[in-house]
Amino acid sequence: MTTRRIKIYFDGGCRPNPGKMETAVVTGGAAVVVRDAGIGSSQDAEWLALIAALRLARDLELANFILLGDAAAVVAQANGAVRARGGAAEHLAHFRALAEGGPAPAVRHIKRTQNLAGIALARGR
């Protein structure tokens, strides 16, 4: 019997850029939206959303999950395909520390129109 992989969608943004950040994580039809995640850039917001998605997977003790986001640069950095610099390197270090001791997180890029977390963020605007 094959266990179904749980999809966890993440998205972050800010207005203006840099500015007030917001994040969203969606899984199983439930959305966790944070409208005031501090001040930073859009990339910072995407990283905070990815870290929140991984934290949720860990809190739910999921063994078979995939993290899905539309920020190509953040996904590439999280997967080690592109070097993270500056603030992104700090976020990557936090992400990797959180990933230790559990199953390696699969992080994949999806189209913005497929990102349920992005849709959740847009609903509140």
Side-chain angles (χ1 to χ4, degrees):
M1 184 169 151
T2 308
T3 304
R4 188 174 64 99
R5 185 179 263 191
I6 304 298
K7 295 178 181 177
I8 303 175
Y9 299 86
F10 67 92
D11 197 17
C14 67
R15 286 178 285 155
N17 187 15
K20 182 180 172 184
M21 296 183 296
E22 58 186 8
T23 64
V25 176
V26 175
T27 191
V32 177
V33 178
V34 176
R35 293 287 175 199
D36 188 2
I39 303 297
S41 70
S42 59
Q43 186 176 53
D44 291 326
E46 293 285 0
W47 268 108
L48 293 178
L50 174 57
I51 290 166
L54 179 55
R55 188 172 284 126
L56 177 65
R58 295 295 189 239
D59 290 348
L60 295 174
E61 299 180 354
L62 300 176
N64 191 14
F65 62 93
I66 185 167
L67 306 173
L68 303 166
D70 60 35
V74 171
V75 170
Q77 291 166 359
N79 286 320
V82 173
R83 184 174 177 194
R85 299 175 190 267
E90 294 175 24
H91 293 306
L92 177 60
H94 186 176
F95 178 77
R96 287 182 174 161
L98 186 60
E100 287 180 4
V107 184
R108 298 290 180 263
H109 180 258
I110 57 173
K111 294 178 184 176
R112 185 173 302 256
T113 56
Q114 297 172 315
N115 192 345
L116 299 182
I119 294 167
L121 277 181
R123 284 190 179 149
R125 292 186 178 152

